[in-house]
Amino acid sequence: MPDVNGKQKVLVVGAGPVGALSALYAAGRGDDVAVYELRDDLRDASTTPLNFTKSINLALSERGINSMRHAKCEGLLDAVLKESIPMHGRMIHGRGQDGELYEEPQLYDAQGRYIRAVDRAMLNKRLLDYLEQMPNVTLHFNHKLTGADFKKNVAWFEQRTLAKTDHAQNPTGNAPTKLDQDRPKEITVDFDFMIGADGAHSAARFHMMKFARLAYQQEYIDTLWCEFHINPRSSDLSFAISPDHLHIWPGGSFMFIAIPSMDKSFTCTLFAPESYFTALAPLSAKDFVSSFSKNFPGVCPELISPEDLRQQFTENPHLPLLSIKCTPYHYRSSVVIIGDAAHAMVPFYGQGMNAGLEDVRVLFEFLDGHDLYNESPKLATSRKERRAGALNAYTSQRTPDAAAINDLALRNYQEMSAGVKSPLYRMRKWLEESVSLYLPSLGWSTQYSRVSFENQRYSEVEKAVARQGKMIVAVLGLGFVGLTGVTALALLRRSGLRPLRALLDHLQN
C-alpha cells in the first residue's frame, strides 16, 4: 500500500526530460518512484520520437540549468554541459542591396552570457541513466495510461509490448507476442501522488479533466515547421558555418534557423505559413531552389545541395505548432501536470523545455515549503493535506507565469522573423543593454536576458519589460521635445524675438 513507513509512492507519467527530472527530485527525497512511458526506452536509437523527426536540438538556458543543479545529482549537470555547444548570439543572414551575402552577429547579452545547444536524446539519456541507478526508482516503458481515479488514487496502464529487461544499449531483441499485439495486458497501479509529464497530448491531463474543473485553451497557429540538415564540410569535417551562434534567415512571415550539433552538423528548421509549404510543393526543382534562395539566401546551394534540400522537404514531415493554456494544474492532493502537459508553447523563445524543467524545481520548492518531507509528529496536518496545500500554491503561482511565457513565445516569432532587422529593435536593445552595463543599480535588462539568463518569474519579466518600455518612450519623448526646443531656439536666434513677441500678442488678444 502507498505511504508505508513514511514514504510516498510517486507515479510519473512520461519519461521525457521533464518527467525524468521530476522523478529524480522525488527519488532524491526518498519517495518510491515509478516512471511509466508510452514509448520504448527513449535511450534506444530506434525509438520513434513523438514528433517523428530524426533529431531535435534544444536551447538550454539558465532556468533549465538551474533546475538540474537543484536536483543534487552529482555529475549530472557537468555531463550535460560537456555535451552542449555555447551559442553566444544570433547570426542574421541575408543579401545586401549590392547582391552580396552578409552575416550580422547579434550578441544575446551585453554581459557575455550565452545559451547552449543540446541534443534532446542525449539529455534524456543522461537523466534516465541516473534514474536507473537509484534503488527506489523503477522504469516501465511501453505502458499507456488508459484511466485514473484520482479520488481512490488508482491508475490503469496497458502494457503495449513485452518490456525489455536489459539496457537499451545492449538489447536482446525481445519482440511482442501475437497475444500482446491483439490484446494488450492491463495493469492496475495505486499511488499517493501522480506527476503528469506526458506532453502536449497528455493522457494524465485528459483523465484529470474528469475530476478537476479545468479551463482549457488550445490553439494551432498558422505556421508549420519542417526539419532540415546541414552536413559538416566535406573537406575537413568542420562546421560549415559558425557554431557559436543560432543562425537565422528572417523572411518576415517565415524564417529558417540552424542550431549546431556535437557532430559538427546543424539541425535546421523552416517555419512558415501552411500556404508557403503548399506553394513550394508542386514547384519544379529549379523553381524550388530559386524560391528558397530568394527567401533564405546562402542556404542552397552553399550549405545544402539542391537535391538534398528537395529531398528533405519532401520526406520530412510538415508539422503544426500548438499552444496550450489550462488551469488548475492539479486535483486535490492526488495529481499535478507539468511541462507541455500543462502549458505547451511555440518554440520561438527556446523556453518550452526550460520552462518544463523549471516547473519541477518550483513544484518541489512548494512541496518542501509545505513540509511534505517533514515527518515530525508535531505537525498539525496530515501529509495529504500538506501536499494539497502545496499543489494549490503551485497552481496559483505557476499559472500566470506559464501564460506569460506562452504569450512571449508567440510574440517572439515576429522578432526573430522580422524584428531582428528593425532599427527600432536594435535601438531599444542597445539602450537597455547600455543602462544595464553602466547603471546596474537600476536593475535594467533586456527581455531576452531576463527570460534566458535569469530565474525571475515569467510574469514579473513581462511586467518589468513593460515598465522599461514606458520609460524608454518617455525618454525618447523628452528627447524629441528637447530637440524641438533646440530647433526653436536656433530659429529665434536667427530671426530675433519678433516671432515670440507676435505669438505673445496673439495669445493676449
Side-chain angles (χ1 to χ4, degrees):
M1 294 295 292
D3 210 356
V4 176
N5 299 325
K7 288 187 176 183
Q8 293 184 116
K9 184 174 181 181
V10 176
L11 213 62
V12 177
V13 182
V18 175
L21 185 66
S22 68
L24 281 173
Y25 268 68
R29 285 162 171 77
D31 291 335
D32 287 326
V33 181
V35 181
Y36 286 84
E37 167 60 44
L38 173 63
R39 295 161 290 171
D40 202 348
D41 193 327
L42 302 179
R43 293 166 293 185
D44 191 331
S46 66
T47 299
T48 304
L50 284 177
N51 57 13
F52 307 107
T53 60
K54 296 178 182 178
S55 61
I56 310 171
N57 278 21
L58 301 169
L60 179 63
S61 56
E62 167 58 22
R63 295 173 193 270
I65 292 171
N66 189 44
S67 299
M68 285 189 281
R69 185 182 296 122
H70 279 79
K72 298 179 181 178
C73 292
E74 185 178 354
L76 170 63
L77 184 57
D78 288 340
V80 170
L81 296 183
K82 186 178 179 181
E83 296 187 71
S84 69
I85 300 175
M87 295 187 294
H88 295 267
R90 298 165 174 161
M91 183 70 78
I92 311 304
H93 294 257
R95 192 183 300 276
Q97 294 182 350
D98 58 1
E100 295 296 318
L101 296 174
Y102 70 81
E103 295 181 344
E104 178 192 316
Q106 294 181 359
L107 288 178
Y108 280 130
D109 183 66
Q111 299 178 36
R113 293 174 292 185
Y114 51 84
I115 62 176
R116 294 173 179 267
V118 297
D119 177 72
R120 180 190 175 97
M122 177 279 297
L123 175 61
N124 222 153
K125 182 181 185 305
R126 292 285 169 265
L127 292 166
L128 291 174
D129 285 347
Y130 270 82
L131 276 177
E132 198 168 48
Q133 297 169 16
M134 305 187 79
N136 53 332
V137 176
T138 57
L139 302 176
H140 307 268
F141 298 103
N142 298 303
H143 281 72
K144 178 183 179 181
L145 178 65
T146 57
D149 186 332
F150 292 116
K151 291 183 178 179
K152 297 180 180 179
N153 285 13
V154 177
W156 295 272
F157 293 88
E158 279 184 358
Q159 186 173 319
R160 307 291 287 180
T161 63
L162 287 177
K164 289 184 177 180
T165 56
D166 53 355
H167 194 279
Q169 300 304 318
N170 185 30
T172 58
N174 286 347
T177 66
K178 187 176 188 303
L179 179 62
D180 291 320
Q181 293 173 329
D182 293 343
R183 189 178 58 205
K185 178 183 177 182
E186 185 173 84
I187 61 173
T188 302
V189 182
D190 56 2
F191 60 90
D192 292 307
F193 178 35
M194 178 187 287
I195 300 175
D198 50 341
H201 302 286
S202 169
R205 183 186 65 232
F206 173 77
H207 294 298
M208 190 182 84
M209 290 174 74
K210 301 172 186 176
F211 294 83
R213 290 176 292 182
L214 189 141
Y216 179 80
Q217 176 186 336
Q218 174 178 300
E219 178 185 3
Y220 283 96
I221 67 171
D222 183 26
T223 300
L224 301 179
W225 66 279
C226 179
E227 185 181 280
F228 293 82
H229 192 76
I230 296 175
N231 292 319
R233 285 195 182 99
S234 57
S235 58
D236 57 2
L237 300 180
S238 63
F239 286 104
I241 47 180
S242 166
D244 301 325
H245 299 84
L246 185 153
H247 296 260
I248 303 177
W249 285 259
S253 62
F254 41 75
M255 67 176 176
F256 190 85
I257 69 170
I259 299 177
S261 301
M262 290 295 291
D263 64 359
K264 299 188 178 177
S265 67
F266 282 81
T267 297
C268 310
T269 311
L270 168 64
F271 295 100
E274 184 175 6
S275 58
Y276 183 77
F277 281 87
T278 303
L280 277 179
L283 294 179
S284 66
K286 181 180 178 180
D287 290 342
F288 181 88
V289 172
S290 176
S291 175
F292 222 88
S293 298
K294 176 183 176 182
N295 293 309
F296 312 113
V299 171
C300 181
E302 290 85 351
L303 300 174
I304 306 177
S305 71
E307 296 77 18
D308 284 348
L309 185 73
R310 186 61 180 261
Q311 182 179 0
Q312 292 178 45
F313 178 83
T314 302
E315 294 181 357
N316 292 344
H318 304 164
L319 299 168
L321 291 173
L322 175 64
S323 175
I324 289 175
K325 295 179 182 177
C326 68
T327 193
Y329 293 151
H330 74 288
Y331 177 70
R332 296 183 179 176
S333 65
S334 300
V335 60
V336 66
I337 53 174
I338 59 177
D340 283 355
H343 47 70
M345 65 191 72
V346 295
F348 305 123
Y349 230 121
Q351 286 296 301
M353 180 192 66
N354 290 286
L357 297 178
E358 187 180 58
D359 284 348
V360 177
R361 178 183 63 79
V362 174
L363 171 63
F364 278 86
E365 283 180 357
F366 277 110
L367 293 173
D368 291 342
H370 282 72
D371 290 317
L372 189 66
Y373 297 97
N374 185 343
E375 299 179 20
S376 171
K378 297 181 180 180
L379 292 172
T381 56
S382 68
R383 170 175 275 186
K384 188 174 180 180
E385 290 172 317
R386 298 197 300 274
R387 186 166 57 240
L391 297 186
N392 188 62
Y394 172 78
T395 283
S396 297
Q397 174 171 306
R398 202 59 178 161
T399 298
D401 289 343
I405 188 56
N406 205 305
D407 294 339
L408 288 172
L410 281 168
R411 293 200 292 268
N412 204 50
Y413 182 50
Q414 181 61 30
E415 177 179 309
M416 292 180 70
S417 62
V420 289
K421 298 170 69 175
S422 163
L424 185 61
Y425 163 80
R426 296 177 188 178
M427 181 181 69
R428 173 167 179 165
K429 185 174 186 293
W430 172 83
L431 181 58
E432 288 178 325
E433 289 181 340
S434 298
V435 173
S436 175
L437 280 175
Y438 300 111
L439 296 170
S441 60
L442 294 180
W444 273 47
S445 188
T446 65
Q447 178 175 286
Y448 191 91
S449 292
R450 290 180 186 273
V451 168
S452 298
F453 305 124
E454 300 173 15
N455 293 290
Q456 184 179 24
R457 290 179 57 187
Y458 289 122
S459 57
E460 294 177 357
V461 168
E462 203 170 31
K463 293 174 184 176
V465 171
R467 287 194 299 270
Q468 287 180 192
K470 290 179 182 178
M471 293 176 69
I472 288 173
V473 170
V475 169
L476 293 177
L478 289 173
F480 177 76
V481 170
L483 180 62
T484 303
V486 170
T487 303
L489 183 60
L491 291 173
L492 285 173
R493 286 178 175 175
R494 289 179 60 185
S495 57
L497 296 177
R498 291 191 303 274
L500 180 59
R501 183 174 292 124
L503 176 60
L504 291 173
D505 291 341
H506 173 73
L507 293 175
Q508 288 175 346
N509 294 332

mmCIF file with all atom_site columns, all heavy atoms in Angstrom, residues 452-470:
data_model
loop_
_atom_site.group_PDB
_atom_site.id
_atom_site.type_symbol
_atom_site.label_atom_id
_atom_site.label_alt_id
_atom_site.label_comp_id
_atom_site.label_asym_id
_atom_site.label_entity_id
_atom_site.label_seq_id
_atom_site.pdbx_PDB_ins_code
_atom_site.Cartn_x
_atom_site.Cartn_y
_atom_site.Cartn_z
_atom_site.occupancy
_atom_site.B_iso_or_equiv
_atom_site.pdbx_formal_charge
_atom_site.auth_seq_id
_atom_site.auth_comp_id
_atom_site.auth_asym_id
_atom_site.auth_atom_id
_atom_site.pdbx_PDB_model_num
ATOM 1   N N   . SER A 1 452 ? 16.146 34.342 -20.475 1.00 0.00 ? 452 SER A N   1
ATOM 2   C CA  . SER A 1 452 ? 17.098 33.267 -20.748 1.00 0.00 ? 452 SER A CA  1
ATOM 3   C C   . SER A 1 452 ? 18.241 33.155 -19.751 1.00 0.00 ? 452 SER A C   1
ATOM 4   O O   . SER A 1 452 ? 18.825 32.071 -19.610 1.00 0.00 ? 452 SER A O   1
ATOM 5   C CB  . SER A 1 452 ? 17.698 33.458 -22.151 1.00 0.00 ? 452 SER A CB  1
ATOM 6   O OG  . SER A 1 452 ? 16.686 33.390 -23.132 1.00 0.00 ? 452 SER A OG  1
ATOM 7   N N   . PHE A 1 453 ? 18.580 34.243 -19.054 1.00 0.00 ? 453 PHE A N   1
ATOM 8   C CA  . PHE A 1 453 ? 19.769 34.204 -18.192 1.00 0.00 ? 453 PHE A CA  1
ATOM 9   C C   . PHE A 1 453 ? 19.463 34.479 -16.731 1.00 0.00 ? 453 PHE A C   1
ATOM 10  O O   . PHE A 1 453 ? 20.378 34.605 -15.916 1.00 0.00 ? 453 PHE A O   1
ATOM 11  C CB  . PHE A 1 453 ? 20.807 35.208 -18.704 1.00 0.00 ? 453 PHE A CB  1
ATOM 12  C CG  . PHE A 1 453 ? 21.165 35.002 -20.156 1.00 0.00 ? 453 PHE A CG  1
ATOM 13  C CD1 . PHE A 1 453 ? 21.033 36.024 -21.073 1.00 0.00 ? 453 PHE A CD1 1
ATOM 14  C CD2 . PHE A 1 453 ? 21.601 33.762 -20.601 1.00 0.00 ? 453 PHE A CD2 1
ATOM 15  C CE1 . PHE A 1 453 ? 21.346 35.825 -22.414 1.00 0.00 ? 453 PHE A CE1 1
ATOM 16  C CE2 . PHE A 1 453 ? 21.914 33.558 -21.931 1.00 0.00 ? 453 PHE A CE2 1
ATOM 17  C CZ  . PHE A 1 453 ? 21.782 34.588 -22.844 1.00 0.00 ? 453 PHE A CZ  1
ATOM 18  N N   . GLU A 1 454 ? 18.210 34.592 -16.392 1.00 0.00 ? 454 GLU A N   1
ATOM 19  C CA  . GLU A 1 454 ? 17.813 34.844 -15.011 1.00 0.00 ? 454 GLU A CA  1
ATOM 20  C C   . GLU A 1 454 ? 16.698 33.875 -14.630 1.00 0.00 ? 454 GLU A C   1
ATOM 21  O O   . GLU A 1 454 ? 16.146 33.175 -15.485 1.00 0.00 ? 454 GLU A O   1
ATOM 22  C CB  . GLU A 1 454 ? 17.366 36.302 -14.840 1.00 0.00 ? 454 GLU A CB  1
ATOM 23  C CG  . GLU A 1 454 ? 18.469 37.305 -15.177 1.00 0.00 ? 454 GLU A CG  1
ATOM 24  C CD  . GLU A 1 454 ? 17.973 38.748 -15.177 1.00 0.00 ? 454 GLU A CD  1
ATOM 25  O OE1 . GLU A 1 454 ? 16.865 39.002 -14.655 1.00 0.00 ? 454 GLU A OE1 1
ATOM 26  O OE2 . GLU A 1 454 ? 18.701 39.624 -15.704 1.00 0.00 ? 454 GLU A OE2 1
ATOM 27  N N   . ASN A 1 455 ? 16.360 33.867 -13.347 1.00 0.00 ? 455 ASN A N   1
ATOM 28  C CA  . ASN A 1 455 ? 15.302 32.990 -12.853 1.00 0.00 ? 455 ASN A CA  1
ATOM 29  C C   . ASN A 1 455 ? 14.099 33.773 -12.352 1.00 0.00 ? 455 ASN A C   1
ATOM 30  O O   . ASN A 1 455 ? 13.271 33.243 -11.608 1.00 0.00 ? 455 ASN A O   1
ATOM 31  C CB  . ASN A 1 455 ? 15.850 32.092 -11.741 1.00 0.00 ? 455 ASN A CB  1
ATOM 32  C CG  . ASN A 1 455 ? 16.869 31.092 -12.261 1.00 0.00 ? 455 ASN A CG  1
ATOM 33  O OD1 . ASN A 1 455 ? 16.536 30.150 -12.971 1.00 0.00 ? 455 ASN A OD1 1
ATOM 34  N ND2 . ASN A 1 455 ? 18.138 31.290 -11.915 1.00 0.00 ? 455 ASN A ND2 1
ATOM 35  N N   . GLN A 1 456 ? 14.012 35.024 -12.757 1.00 0.00 ? 456 GLN A N   1
ATOM 36  C CA  . GLN A 1 456 ? 12.860 35.848 -12.414 1.00 0.00 ? 456 GLN A CA  1
ATOM 37  C C   . GLN A 1 456 ? 11.588 35.211 -12.977 1.00 0.00 ? 456 GLN A C   1
ATOM 38  O O   . GLN A 1 456 ? 11.588 34.662 -14.081 1.00 0.00 ? 456 GLN A O   1
ATOM 39  C CB  . GLN A 1 456 ? 13.052 37.250 -13.004 1.00 0.00 ? 456 GLN A CB  1
ATOM 40  C CG  . GLN A 1 456 ? 11.967 38.240 -12.642 1.00 0.00 ? 456 GLN A CG  1
ATOM 41  C CD  . GLN A 1 456 ? 12.233 39.626 -13.254 1.00 0.00 ? 456 GLN A CD  1
ATOM 42  O OE1 . GLN A 1 456 ? 12.936 39.748 -14.262 1.00 0.00 ? 456 GLN A OE1 1
ATOM 43  N NE2 . GLN A 1 456 ? 11.689 40.663 -12.653 1.00 0.00 ? 456 GLN A NE2 1
ATOM 44  N N   . ARG A 1 457 ? 10.511 35.283 -12.216 1.00 0.00 ? 457 ARG A N   1
ATOM 45  C CA  . ARG A 1 457 ? 9.251  34.708 -12.690 1.00 0.00 ? 457 ARG A CA  1
ATOM 46  C C   . ARG A 1 457 ? 8.868  35.318 -14.041 1.00 0.00 ? 457 ARG A C   1
ATOM 47  O O   . ARG A 1 457 ? 9.019  36.524 -14.263 1.00 0.00 ? 457 ARG A O   1
ATOM 48  C CB  . ARG A 1 457 ? 8.133  34.951 -11.675 1.00 0.00 ? 457 ARG A CB  1
ATOM 49  C CG  . ARG A 1 457 ? 8.259  34.162 -10.394 1.00 0.00 ? 457 ARG A CG  1
ATOM 50  C CD  . ARG A 1 457 ? 7.129  34.492 -9.445  1.00 0.00 ? 457 ARG A CD  1
ATOM 51  N NE  . ARG A 1 457 ? 5.814  34.252 -10.065 1.00 0.00 ? 457 ARG A NE  1
ATOM 52  C CZ  . ARG A 1 457 ? 4.650  34.584 -9.507  1.00 0.00 ? 457 ARG A CZ  1
ATOM 53  N NH1 . ARG A 1 457 ? 4.642  35.197 -8.319  1.00 0.00 ? 457 ARG A NH1 1
ATOM 54  N NH2 . ARG A 1 457 ? 3.517  34.338 -10.126 1.00 0.00 ? 457 ARG A NH2 1
ATOM 55  N N   . TYR A 1 458 ? 8.356  34.481 -14.931 1.00 0.00 ? 458 TYR A N   1
ATOM 56  C CA  . TYR A 1 458 ? 7.992  34.954 -16.265 1.00 0.00 ? 458 TYR A CA  1
ATOM 57  C C   . TYR A 1 458 ? 6.993  36.112 -16.205 1.00 0.00 ? 458 TYR A C   1
ATOM 58  O O   . TYR A 1 458 ? 7.093  37.066 -16.990 1.00 0.00 ? 458 TYR A O   1
ATOM 59  C CB  . TYR A 1 458 ? 7.384  33.817 -17.082 1.00 0.00 ? 458 TYR A CB  1
ATOM 60  C CG  . TYR A 1 458 ? 8.341  32.742 -17.521 1.00 0.00 ? 458 TYR A CG  1
ATOM 61  C CD1 . TYR A 1 458 ? 8.137  31.421 -17.154 1.00 0.00 ? 458 TYR A CD1 1
ATOM 62  C CD2 . TYR A 1 458 ? 9.445  33.024 -18.329 1.00 0.00 ? 458 TYR A CD2 1
ATOM 63  C CE1 . TYR A 1 458 ? 8.992  30.405 -17.581 1.00 0.00 ? 458 TYR A CE1 1
ATOM 64  C CE2 . TYR A 1 458 ? 10.306 32.022 -18.751 1.00 0.00 ? 458 TYR A CE2 1
ATOM 65  C CZ  . TYR A 1 458 ? 10.074 30.711 -18.366 1.00 0.00 ? 458 TYR A CZ  1
ATOM 66  O OH  . TYR A 1 458 ? 10.919 29.710 -18.790 1.00 0.00 ? 458 TYR A OH  1
ATOM 67  N N   . SER A 1 459 ? 6.021  36.030 -15.313 1.00 0.00 ? 459 SER A N   1
ATOM 68  C CA  . SER A 1 459 ? 5.016  37.090 -15.215 1.00 0.00 ? 459 SER A CA  1
ATOM 69  C C   . SER A 1 459 ? 5.652  38.395 -14.744 1.00 0.00 ? 459 SER A C   1
ATOM 70  O O   . SER A 1 459 ? 5.238  39.487 -15.165 1.00 0.00 ? 459 SER A O   1
ATOM 71  C CB  . SER A 1 459 ? 3.888  36.676 -14.269 1.00 0.00 ? 459 SER A CB  1
ATOM 72  O OG  . SER A 1 459 ? 4.384  36.358 -12.975 1.00 0.00 ? 459 SER A OG  1
ATOM 73  N N   . GLU A 1 460 ? 6.673  38.314 -13.893 1.00 0.00 ? 460 GLU A N   1
ATOM 74  C CA  . GLU A 1 460 ? 7.378  39.517 -13.451 1.00 0.00 ? 460 GLU A CA  1
ATOM 75  C C   . GLU A 1 460 ? 8.266  40.074 -14.552 1.00 0.00 ? 460 GLU A C   1
ATOM 76  O O   . GLU A 1 460 ? 8.463  41.289 -14.645 1.00 0.00 ? 460 GLU A O   1
ATOM 77  C CB  . GLU A 1 460 ? 8.200  39.204 -12.196 1.00 0.00 ? 460 GLU A CB  1
ATOM 78  C CG  . GLU A 1 460 ? 7.338  38.869 -10.983 1.00 0.00 ? 460 GLU A CG  1
ATOM 79  C CD  . GLU A 1 460 ? 8.157  38.493 -9.766  1.00 0.00 ? 460 GLU A CD  1
ATOM 80  O OE1 . GLU A 1 460 ? 9.407  38.436 -9.879  1.00 0.00 ? 460 GLU A OE1 1
ATOM 81  O OE2 . GLU A 1 460 ? 7.562  38.246 -8.705  1.00 0.00 ? 460 GLU A OE2 1
ATOM 82  N N   . VAL A 1 461 ? 8.815  39.187 -15.391 1.00 0.00 ? 461 VAL A N   1
ATOM 83  C CA  . VAL A 1 461 ? 9.585  39.634 -16.555 1.00 0.00 ? 461 VAL A CA  1
ATOM 84  C C   . VAL A 1 461 ? 8.697  40.495 -17.450 1.00 0.00 ? 461 VAL A C   1
ATOM 85  O O   . VAL A 1 461 ? 9.101  41.580 -17.887 1.00 0.00 ? 461 VAL A O   1
ATOM 86  C CB  . VAL A 1 461 ? 10.120 38.429 -17.350 1.00 0.00 ? 461 VAL A CB  1
ATOM 87  C CG1 . VAL A 1 461 ? 10.669 38.874 -18.707 1.00 0.00 ? 461 VAL A CG1 1
ATOM 88  C CG2 . VAL A 1 461 ? 11.198 37.699 -16.562 1.00 0.00 ? 461 VAL A CG2 1
ATOM 89  N N   . GLU A 1 462 ? 7.507  39.998 -17.720 1.00 0.00 ? 462 GLU A N   1
ATOM 90  C CA  . GLU A 1 462 ? 6.585  40.719 -18.592 1.00 0.00 ? 462 GLU A CA  1
ATOM 91  C C   . GLU A 1 462 ? 6.276  42.104 -18.036 1.00 0.00 ? 462 GLU A C   1
ATOM 92  O O   . GLU A 1 462 ? 6.264  43.101 -18.771 1.00 0.00 ? 462 GLU A O   1
ATOM 93  C CB  . GLU A 1 462 ? 5.303  39.900 -18.758 1.00 0.00 ? 462 GLU A CB  1
ATOM 94  C CG  . GLU A 1 462 ? 4.522  40.219 -20.005 1.00 0.00 ? 462 GLU A CG  1
ATOM 95  C CD  . GLU A 1 462 ? 3.398  39.228 -20.254 1.00 0.00 ? 462 GLU A CD  1
ATOM 96  O OE1 . GLU A 1 462 ? 2.828  38.684 -19.278 1.00 0.00 ? 462 GLU A OE1 1
ATOM 97  O OE2 . GLU A 1 462 ? 3.073  38.995 -21.429 1.00 0.00 ? 462 GLU A OE2 1
ATOM 98  N N   . LYS A 1 463 ? 6.059  42.196 -16.729 1.00 0.00 ? 463 LYS A N   1
ATOM 99  C CA  . LYS A 1 463 ? 5.743  43.494 -16.102 1.00 0.00 ? 463 LYS A CA  1
ATOM 100 C C   . LYS A 1 463 ? 6.960  44.420 -16.122 1.00 0.00 ? 463 LYS A C   1
ATOM 101 O O   . LYS A 1 463 ? 6.827  45.625 -16.410 1.00 0.00 ? 463 LYS A O   1
ATOM 102 C CB  . LYS A 1 463 ? 5.277  43.277 -14.665 1.00 0.00 ? 463 LYS A CB  1
ATOM 103 C CG  . LYS A 1 463 ? 3.939  42.555 -14.550 1.00 0.00 ? 463 LYS A CG  1
ATOM 104 C CD  . LYS A 1 463 ? 3.610  42.241 -13.093 1.00 0.00 ? 463 LYS A CD  1
ATOM 105 C CE  . LYS A 1 463 ? 2.326  41.437 -12.979 1.00 0.00 ? 463 LYS A CE  1
ATOM 106 N NZ  . LYS A 1 463 ? 2.049  41.043 -11.570 1.00 0.00 ? 463 LYS A NZ  1
ATOM 107 N N   . ALA A 1 464 ? 8.137  43.870 -15.825 1.00 0.00 ? 464 ALA A N   1
ATOM 108 C CA  . ALA A 1 464 ? 9.353  44.689 -15.791 1.00 0.00 ? 464 ALA A CA  1
ATOM 109 C C   . ALA A 1 464 ? 9.671  45.251 -17.174 1.00 0.00 ? 464 ALA A C   1
ATOM 110 O O   . ALA A 1 464 ? 10.051 46.427 -17.312 1.00 0.00 ? 464 ALA A O   1
ATOM 111 C CB  . ALA A 1 464 ? 10.526 43.866 -15.273 1.00 0.00 ? 464 ALA A CB  1
ATOM 112 N N   . VAL A 1 465 ? 9.509  44.433 -18.202 1.00 0.00 ? 465 VAL A N   1
ATOM 113 C CA  . VAL A 1 465 ? 9.797  44.884 -19.567 1.00 0.00 ? 465 VAL A CA  1
ATOM 114 C C   . VAL A 1 465 ? 8.788  45.944 -20.001 1.00 0.00 ? 465 VAL A C   1
ATOM 115 O O   . VAL A 1 465 ? 9.144  46.901 -20.693 1.00 0.00 ? 465 VAL A O   1
ATOM 116 C CB  . VAL A 1 465 ? 9.791  43.681 -20.531 1.00 0.00 ? 465 VAL A CB  1
ATOM 117 C CG1 . VAL A 1 465 ? 9.864  44.146 -21.977 1.00 0.00 ? 465 VAL A CG1 1
ATOM 118 C CG2 . VAL A 1 465 ? 10.965 42.755 -20.223 1.00 0.00 ? 465 VAL A CG2 1
ATOM 119 N N   . ALA A 1 466 ? 7.551  45.783 -19.572 1.00 0.00 ? 466 ALA A N   1
ATOM 120 C CA  . ALA A 1 466 ? 6.533  46.793 -19.899 1.00 0.00 ? 466 ALA A CA  1
ATOM 121 C C   . ALA A 1 466 ? 6.883  48.134 -19.246 1.00 0.00 ? 466 ALA A C   1
ATOM 122 O O   . ALA A 1 466 ? 6.734  49.201 -19.873 1.00 0.00 ? 466 ALA A O   1
ATOM 123 C CB  . ALA A 1 466 ? 5.159  46.316 -19.439 1.00 0.00 ? 466 ALA A CB  1
ATOM 124 N N   . ARG A 1 467 ? 7.362  48.097 -17.987 1.00 0.00 ? 467 ARG A N   1
ATOM 125 C CA  . ARG A 1 467 ? 7.772  49.336 -17.319 1.00 0.00 ? 467 ARG A CA  1
ATOM 126 C C   . ARG A 1 467 ? 8.949  49.981 -18.042 1.00 0.00 ? 467 ARG A C   1
ATOM 127 O O   . ARG A 1 467 ? 8.984  51.197 -18.244 1.00 0.00 ? 467 ARG A O   1
ATOM 128 C CB  . ARG A 1 467 ? 8.151  49.049 -15.860 1.00 0.00 ? 467 ARG A CB  1
ATOM 129 C CG  . ARG A 1 467 ? 6.988  48.758 -14.944 1.00 0.00 ? 467 ARG A CG  1
ATOM 130 C CD  . ARG A 1 467 ? 7.398  48.829 -13.478 1.00 0.00 ? 467 ARG A CD  1
ATOM 131 N NE  . ARG A 1 467 ? 8.431  47.857 -13.152 1.00 0.00 ? 467 ARG A NE  1
ATOM 132 C CZ  . ARG A 1 467 ? 8.188  46.624 -12.729 1.00 0.00 ? 467 ARG A CZ  1
ATOM 133 N NH1 . ARG A 1 467 ? 6.943  46.206 -12.587 1.00 0.00 ? 467 ARG A NH1 1
ATOM 134 N NH2 . ARG A 1 467 ? 9.188  45.812 -12.432 1.00 0.00 ? 467 ARG A NH2 1
ATOM 135 N N   . GLN A 1 468 ? 9.910  49.162 -18.421 1.00 0.00 ? 468 GLN A N   1
ATOM 136 C CA  . GLN A 1 468 ? 11.065 49.697 -19.152 1.00 0.00 ? 468 GLN A CA  1
ATOM 137 C C   . GLN A 1 468 ? 10.627 50.319 -20.465 1.00 0.00 ? 468 GLN A C   1
ATOM 138 O O   . GLN A 1 468 ? 11.136 51.374 -20.876 1.00 0.00 ? 468 GLN A O   1
ATOM 139 C CB  . GLN A 1 468 ? 12.079 48.580 -19.426 1.00 0.00 ? 468 GLN A CB  1
ATOM 140 C CG  . GLN A 1 468 ? 12.852 48.136 -18.195 1.00 0.00 ? 468 GLN A CG  1
ATOM 141 C CD  . GLN A 1 468 ? 13.858 47.039 -18.466 1.00 0.00 ? 468 GLN A CD  1
ATOM 142 O OE1 . GLN A 1 468 ? 14.394 46.438 -17.544 1.00 0.00 ? 468 GLN A OE1 1
ATOM 143 N NE2 . GLN A 1 468 ? 14.144 46.752 -19.725 1.00 0.00 ? 468 GLN A NE2 1
ATOM 144 N N   . GLY A 1 469 ? 9.683  49.670 -21.136 1.00 0.00 ? 469 GLY A N   1
ATOM 145 C CA  . GLY A 1 469 ? 9.193  50.198 -22.403 1.00 0.00 ? 469 GLY A CA  1
ATOM 146 C C   . GLY A 1 469 ? 8.571  51.567 -22.238 1.00 0.00 ? 469 GLY A C   1
ATOM 147 O O   . GLY A 1 469 ? 8.796  52.475 -23.063 1.00 0.00 ? 469 GLY A O   1
ATOM 148 N N   . LYS A 1 470 ? 7.785  51.749 -21.177 1.00 0.00 ? 470 LYS A N   1
ATOM 149 C CA  . LYS A 1 470 ? 7.161  53.060 -20.926 1.00 0.00 ? 470 LYS A CA  1
ATOM 150 C C   . LYS A 1 470 ? 8.215  54.124 -20.643 1.00 0.00 ? 470 LYS A C   1
ATOM 151 O O   . LYS A 1 470 ? 8.098  55.271 -21.090 1.00 0.00 ? 470 LYS A O   1
ATOM 152 C CB  . LYS A 1 470 ? 6.197  52.937 -19.748 1.00 0.00 ? 470 LYS A CB  1
ATOM 153 C CG  . LYS A 1 470 ? 4.951  52.113 -20.047 1.00 0.00 ? 470 LYS A CG  1
ATOM 154 C CD  . LYS A 1 470 ? 4.051  52.013 -18.819 1.00 0.00 ? 470 LYS A CD  1
ATOM 155 C CE  . LYS A 1 470 ? 2.821  51.154 -19.112 1.00 0.00 ? 470 LYS A CE  1
ATOM 156 N NZ  . LYS A 1 470 ? 1.953  51.003 -17.916 1.00 0.00 ? 470 LYS A NZ  1
#
